[in-house]
Amino acid sequence: MKSLYFLLSAAIALVCSVSATAQAYFQQTTNYQIEVELNEIDHSLKGSIQIEYTNNSPDALTEIWFHLWPNAYKNQKTALAKQLLANGETAMHYADKIDLGYMDSLDFKVNKQTVKLVYHPEHIDIAKLVLNEPLKSGDKIEITTPFFVKIPSSNFSRLGHGGTSYQLTQWYPKPAVYDALGWHAMPYLDQGEFYSEFGNFDVKITLPANYMVAATGELQTQKEIAYLNQLAVSPVLDKDEINFRRTNTDSLKTLHYTAEKVHDFAIFTDKQYRVAKSSVKLPGSNREVTTWAFYTSHEEELWQKATEYINDALYYYSLWNGDYPYSNCTAVSGALSAGAGMEYPGITVIGTSGNAKSLEEVIMHEVGHNWFYGVLAFNERMYPWMDEGMNSFCELRYMETKFPKATLSEMLPYTWADKFLDLNGKPYEDMKRLSYLYSARKNEDQATNLSADKFTNINYGTIVYYKTAVAFNYFRHVFGNDVTDHTLKTLYNEWQFKHPQPNDVRKIFERETTANLSWLFDDLIGSNKVLDYKLSSFRKNKVTIKNTGDIAAPMFISALSKGNVVYETWMQGFTGKQTIEVPAETDVVLIDRHRIMPEYTHKNNR
């Protein structure tokens, strides 16, 4: 969703990425055992964590950097607080101390021996363990610590509580990624997401017995599984259940979850959840995935088809990218302050939507992140386009596939936007292209491949999400669905549960298409150059086309006679001018008849 990267400048990152390609790929392994208790009186977590950390790098490590991200909510001087204020969001800046949050009570040990914890000089949500002796290549250690988290208000970002609703995200001490570029220790931010190591989780949470819980991974507590199944049969709560939920209770329950091959673990809990359950068979393996929806009375009527939206997202994303790897998938209605939705492995939290189509789109988008954020665990802080942009491309394709006649006015939750922007009748897929052009025509366009902190607040949406989506949709129309699907599946199969870099993505795209894709990766993604072709003359059956832009990308041209298409084709990109012949009966020539190309202007296309 959004970002800052304090260790590497873009120039250093470029140099390092070149040298890193010459090194053998490696990634560290982090396996977790966590026990934690939720206190609803003082809104806190108290627990302990054990991490089995395996050094798969060729280097001996003398330190391990940790993210202590609840400290991002500790005061108004953190990177999170500063970014929120810079983006015009003042809730945290003016918050009372009781609404802020933090992590403390840490006592790190490595193999049962006390080690020194040194906080980052600028960011209180980052610290490093100074190891008593180097961790050699191939060796593993056991890291343990107790921890306490004061949960902040949900008015600020993703970790928080509001009423009886808790969003427990980025809530435990977490090692930073160590890869061929070095350590990726980064402060928690709202604009700019995450980069984390894969491993297995074994998590036990103790909380009041009248809370419902949805979490990453597989619930192992049989009594709770039976309870959720019972609730799913009849989402309408009976009188006894309502009274049980409303009563403060001293009775506690402990729920046990496990998860394999994930790099994050999120928990959502609320006394008011209704529960819905369904399943979907994946198109590749025919394997069945269980789907869950946890929702409250807020927009309850919109959530009646939530499991259908999850099922369809799992089906289509699997069809285009490769089958979803986990056995269940959940969407949760929550008090979210950071955007319309937020993804975690196997589970997503959704905020206010406004109408059914918007809810479906947000659920689908966030479920879709399981492929790009979840399985292809890109470094979102440094390369947000690889997650948000490629996922937004699949989102665009989903909406186009399922709602081919949908208009922008149908999709927006607020009627004033339709009236103000005159969107009636415009196809839905135009939204992303028009959003990109909004920035481009104001001369505020940016290259898509920048790190998250380099984008203005509005460009994080119009460029990272929308420009990237339009660029890859352009690629799809040039090469066709079959080639696109094959390319995406190859990327997914070769890099699942790893950390591909931009060059790894490009290498597969160019290898599988046997094409030079400079126009896509260097120009549309790697620059703010403008794409624009112009029909400069049409005499008899000869058409002259001029490239008035900066990008020599493929161009779609159509010849019509009395409204009927008599000739059309994709032409290779070119600079300067080209003249082609069209059938003699042609009376109209068009560039980009279907509005697929992200051209700066279409006024010179007819």
Side-chain angles (χ1 to χ4, degrees), residues 438-468:
Y438 171 82
S439 292
R441 290 176 182 172
K442 292 178 67 181
N443 293 319
E444 295 176 356
D445 184 19
Q446 295 177 270
T448 305
N449 64 348
L450 303 177
S451 59
D453 60 298
K454 299 296 192 296
F455 290 97
T456 63
N457 193 27
I458 191 168
N459 275 5
Y460 199 79
T462 62
I463 305 303
V464 171
Y465 287 67
Y466 297 157
K467 183 180 178 182
T468 312

Short mmCIF file of all heavy atoms in Angstrom, two decimals, residues 438-468:
data_model
loop_
_atom_site.label_atom_id
_atom_site.label_comp_id
_atom_site.label_asym_id
_atom_site.label_seq_id
_atom_site.Cartn_x
_atom_site.Cartn_y
_atom_site.Cartn_z
N TYR A 438 -4.13 11.85 -15.59
CA TYR A 438 -4.31 13.02 -14.72
C TYR A 438 -2.96 13.55 -14.27
O TYR A 438 -2.71 14.76 -14.29
CB TYR A 438 -5.16 12.63 -13.51
CG TYR A 438 -5.23 13.68 -12.43
CD1 TYR A 438 -6.13 14.74 -12.54
CD2 TYR A 438 -4.40 13.63 -11.32
CE1 TYR A 438 -6.19 15.72 -11.55
CE2 TYR A 438 -4.45 14.60 -10.33
CZ TYR A 438 -5.34 15.64 -10.45
OH TYR A 438 -5.40 16.60 -9.48
N SER A 439 -2.06 12.63 -13.87
CA SER A 439 -0.72 13.06 -13.44
C SER A 439 0.14 13.45 -14.63
O SER A 439 0.88 14.45 -14.59
CB SER A 439 -0.03 11.94 -12.65
OG SER A 439 -0.67 11.74 -11.41
N ALA A 440 0.06 12.68 -15.72
CA ALA A 440 0.90 12.94 -16.88
C ALA A 440 0.61 14.30 -17.51
O ALA A 440 1.52 15.06 -17.86
CB ALA A 440 0.72 11.83 -17.91
N ARG A 441 -0.66 14.63 -17.65
CA ARG A 441 -1.03 15.89 -18.32
C ARG A 441 -0.79 17.11 -17.44
O ARG A 441 -0.78 18.23 -17.93
CB ARG A 441 -2.48 15.82 -18.78
CG ARG A 441 -2.67 14.85 -19.94
CD ARG A 441 -4.11 14.69 -20.34
NE ARG A 441 -4.27 13.72 -21.43
CZ ARG A 441 -5.44 13.29 -21.87
NH1 ARG A 441 -6.57 13.72 -21.30
NH2 ARG A 441 -5.49 12.42 -22.86
N LYS A 442 -0.60 16.89 -16.14
CA LYS A 442 -0.20 17.98 -15.26
C LYS A 442 1.33 18.07 -15.14
O LYS A 442 1.84 18.84 -14.33
CB LYS A 442 -0.80 17.77 -13.86
CG LYS A 442 -2.31 17.91 -13.81
CD LYS A 442 -2.84 17.64 -12.42
CE LYS A 442 -2.39 18.71 -11.44
NZ LYS A 442 -2.88 18.45 -10.06
N ASN A 443 2.02 17.28 -15.97
CA ASN A 443 3.48 17.20 -15.93
C ASN A 443 3.99 16.79 -14.55
O ASN A 443 5.06 17.21 -14.11
CB ASN A 443 4.12 18.53 -16.36
CG ASN A 443 3.87 18.84 -17.81
OD1 ASN A 443 3.94 17.95 -18.67
ND2 ASN A 443 3.57 20.10 -18.11
N GLU A 444 3.21 15.93 -13.88
CA GLU A 444 3.59 15.43 -12.56
C GLU A 444 3.83 13.92 -12.59
O GLU A 444 3.95 13.29 -11.54
CB GLU A 444 2.51 15.78 -11.54
CG GLU A 444 2.36 17.27 -11.32
CD GLU A 444 1.22 17.63 -10.38
OE1 GLU A 444 0.48 16.70 -9.96
OE2 GLU A 444 1.05 18.82 -10.07
N ASP A 445 3.90 13.35 -13.79
CA ASP A 445 4.15 11.92 -13.92
C ASP A 445 5.53 11.59 -13.36
O ASP A 445 6.45 12.41 -13.40
CB ASP A 445 4.05 11.53 -15.40
CG ASP A 445 4.21 10.05 -15.63
OD1 ASP A 445 4.04 9.27 -14.67
OD2 ASP A 445 4.51 9.66 -16.78
N GLN A 446 5.66 10.37 -12.84
CA GLN A 446 6.95 9.88 -12.36
C GLN A 446 7.21 8.49 -12.92
O GLN A 446 6.27 7.78 -13.31
CB GLN A 446 6.96 9.79 -10.82
CG GLN A 446 6.84 11.12 -10.12
CD GLN A 446 6.77 10.94 -8.61
OE1 GLN A 446 5.71 10.81 -8.04
NE2 GLN A 446 7.93 10.96 -7.96
N ALA A 447 8.48 8.12 -12.97
CA ALA A 447 8.81 6.74 -13.35
C ALA A 447 8.16 5.80 -12.34
O ALA A 447 8.07 6.10 -11.15
CB ALA A 447 10.32 6.55 -13.37
N THR A 448 7.74 4.65 -12.81
CA THR A 448 7.02 3.71 -11.96
C THR A 448 7.94 2.93 -11.04
O THR A 448 7.53 2.47 -9.98
CB THR A 448 6.22 2.74 -12.85
OG1 THR A 448 5.39 3.50 -13.72
CG2 THR A 448 5.34 1.82 -12.04
N ASN A 449 9.21 2.77 -11.43
CA ASN A 449 10.10 1.87 -10.70
C ASN A 449 10.86 2.54 -9.57
O ASN A 449 11.88 2.03 -9.12
CB ASN A 449 11.08 1.21 -11.67
CG ASN A 449 12.02 2.21 -12.34
OD1 ASN A 449 11.81 3.42 -12.24
ND2 ASN A 449 13.04 1.72 -13.02
N LEU A 450 10.36 3.65 -9.08
CA LEU A 450 11.01 4.33 -7.96
C LEU A 450 10.66 3.63 -6.64
O LEU A 450 9.68 2.90 -6.55
CB LEU A 450 10.56 5.79 -7.89
CG LEU A 450 10.80 6.64 -9.14
CD1 LEU A 450 10.23 8.04 -8.92
CD2 LEU A 450 12.28 6.70 -9.48
N SER A 451 11.46 3.91 -5.60
CA SER A 451 11.11 3.41 -4.27
C SER A 451 9.91 4.19 -3.76
O SER A 451 9.62 5.31 -4.21
CB SER A 451 12.30 3.55 -3.32
OG SER A 451 12.71 4.90 -3.23
N ALA A 452 9.21 3.63 -2.80
CA ALA A 452 7.92 4.17 -2.40
C ALA A 452 8.00 5.58 -1.85
O ALA A 452 7.08 6.39 -2.03
CB ALA A 452 7.27 3.24 -1.37
N ASP A 453 9.11 5.91 -1.18
CA ASP A 453 9.22 7.24 -0.58
C ASP A 453 9.40 8.34 -1.61
O ASP A 453 9.25 9.52 -1.29
CB ASP A 453 10.40 7.28 0.40
CG ASP A 453 11.71 6.96 -0.28
OD1 ASP A 453 11.85 5.84 -0.80
OD2 ASP A 453 12.61 7.82 -0.29
N LYS A 454 9.69 7.97 -2.86
CA LYS A 454 9.93 8.98 -3.90
C LYS A 454 8.64 9.50 -4.52
O LYS A 454 8.67 10.47 -5.28
CB LYS A 454 10.82 8.39 -5.00
CG LYS A 454 12.20 7.95 -4.54
CD LYS A 454 13.03 9.13 -4.04
CE LYS A 454 14.48 8.75 -3.85
NZ LYS A 454 14.70 7.75 -2.81
N PHE A 455 7.50 8.87 -4.23
CA PHE A 455 6.25 9.26 -4.87
C PHE A 455 5.49 10.28 -4.03
O PHE A 455 5.48 10.21 -2.80
CB PHE A 455 5.34 8.04 -5.09
CG PHE A 455 5.85 7.09 -6.14
CD1 PHE A 455 6.57 5.97 -5.78
CD2 PHE A 455 5.62 7.33 -7.49
CE1 PHE A 455 7.04 5.09 -6.74
CE2 PHE A 455 6.10 6.47 -8.45
CZ PHE A 455 6.81 5.35 -8.08
N THR A 456 4.86 11.22 -4.72
CA THR A 456 3.90 12.06 -4.04
C THR A 456 2.73 11.19 -3.60
O THR A 456 2.53 10.08 -4.12
CB THR A 456 3.39 13.19 -4.95
OG1 THR A 456 2.69 12.60 -6.06
CG2 THR A 456 4.53 14.03 -5.48
N ASN A 457 1.94 11.70 -2.67
CA ASN A 457 0.83 10.92 -2.13
C ASN A 457 -0.13 10.48 -3.23
O ASN A 457 -0.54 9.32 -3.32
CB ASN A 457 0.10 11.73 -1.07
CG ASN A 457 -0.85 10.87 -0.25
OD1 ASN A 457 -0.66 9.68 -0.10
ND2 ASN A 457 -1.89 11.49 0.27
N ILE A 458 -0.50 11.42 -4.12
CA ILE A 458 -1.46 11.08 -5.17
C ILE A 458 -0.83 10.17 -6.22
O ILE A 458 -1.47 9.26 -6.76
CB ILE A 458 -2.06 12.35 -5.82
CG1 ILE A 458 -3.25 11.95 -6.71
CG2 ILE A 458 -1.00 13.13 -6.61
CD1 ILE A 458 -4.08 13.13 -7.16
N ASN A 459 0.46 10.38 -6.52
CA ASN A 459 1.12 9.55 -7.53
C ASN A 459 1.33 8.12 -7.06
O ASN A 459 1.50 7.21 -7.88
CB ASN A 459 2.46 10.15 -7.94
CG ASN A 459 2.31 11.19 -9.04
OD1 ASN A 459 1.19 11.52 -9.43
ND2 ASN A 459 3.41 11.71 -9.53
N TYR A 460 1.32 7.90 -5.75
CA TYR A 460 1.42 6.53 -5.29
C TYR A 460 0.25 5.72 -5.82
O TYR A 460 0.38 4.53 -6.11
CB TYR A 460 1.45 6.47 -3.75
CG TYR A 460 2.00 5.17 -3.25
CD1 TYR A 460 3.37 4.93 -3.23
CD2 TYR A 460 1.16 4.15 -2.81
CE1 TYR A 460 3.88 3.72 -2.79
CE2 TYR A 460 1.67 2.94 -2.36
CZ TYR A 460 3.03 2.74 -2.35
OH TYR A 460 3.53 1.54 -1.93
N GLY A 461 -0.90 6.36 -5.98
CA GLY A 461 -2.04 5.69 -6.58
C GLY A 461 -2.01 5.74 -8.09
O GLY A 461 -2.10 4.71 -8.76
N THR A 462 -1.88 6.94 -8.65
CA THR A 462 -2.01 7.08 -10.11
C THR A 462 -0.86 6.45 -10.87
O THR A 462 -1.04 6.00 -12.01
CB THR A 462 -2.12 8.56 -10.49
OG1 THR A 462 -0.93 9.25 -10.10
CG2 THR A 462 -3.33 9.22 -9.86
N ILE A 463 0.33 6.38 -10.28
CA ILE A 463 1.49 5.82 -10.97
C ILE A 463 1.77 4.39 -10.55
O ILE A 463 1.77 3.47 -11.37
CB ILE A 463 2.74 6.70 -10.73
CG1 ILE A 463 2.45 8.16 -11.14
CG2 ILE A 463 3.93 6.14 -11.49
CD1 ILE A 463 2.02 8.32 -12.57
N VAL A 464 1.99 4.16 -9.25
CA VAL A 464 2.36 2.82 -8.78
C VAL A 464 1.26 1.81 -9.12
O VAL A 464 1.53 0.73 -9.66
CB VAL A 464 2.63 2.83 -7.27
CG1 VAL A 464 2.80 1.41 -6.74
CG2 VAL A 464 3.87 3.65 -6.97
N TYR A 465 0.02 2.14 -8.80
CA TYR A 465 -1.10 1.23 -9.05
C TYR A 465 -1.54 1.28 -10.52
O TYR A 465 -1.55 0.27 -11.22
CB TYR A 465 -2.30 1.61 -8.18
CG TYR A 465 -2.20 1.29 -6.72
CD1 TYR A 465 -1.30 1.93 -5.89
CD2 TYR A 465 -3.04 0.34 -6.13
CE1 TYR A 465 -1.23 1.67 -4.54
CE2 TYR A 465 -3.00 0.06 -4.78
CZ TYR A 465 -2.08 0.72 -3.98
OH TYR A 465 -2.02 0.45 -2.63
N TYR A 466 -1.92 2.48 -10.97
CA TYR A 466 -2.68 2.58 -12.21
C TYR A 466 -1.81 2.59 -13.46
O TYR A 466 -2.10 1.91 -14.44
CB TYR A 466 -3.57 3.81 -12.18
CG TYR A 466 -4.62 3.76 -11.09
CD1 TYR A 466 -5.20 4.91 -10.58
CD2 TYR A 466 -5.03 2.54 -10.55
CE1 TYR A 466 -6.17 4.85 -9.58
CE2 TYR A 466 -5.99 2.47 -9.56
CZ TYR A 466 -6.56 3.63 -9.08
OH TYR A 466 -7.52 3.57 -8.09
N LYS A 467 -0.73 3.35 -13.44
CA LYS A 467 0.14 3.37 -14.63
C LYS A 467 0.72 1.98 -14.88
O LYS A 467 0.78 1.51 -16.03
CB LYS A 467 1.26 4.39 -14.45
CG LYS A 467 2.18 4.52 -15.66
CD LYS A 467 3.26 5.55 -15.39
CE LYS A 467 4.23 5.67 -16.57
NZ LYS A 467 5.33 6.64 -16.28
N THR A 468 1.15 1.30 -13.81
CA THR A 468 1.69 -0.05 -13.97
C THR A 468 0.62 -1.00 -14.50
O THR A 468 0.88 -1.83 -15.38
CB THR A 468 2.23 -0.59 -12.64
OG1 THR A 468 3.05 0.39 -12.03
CG2 THR A 468 3.02 -1.86 -12.85
#
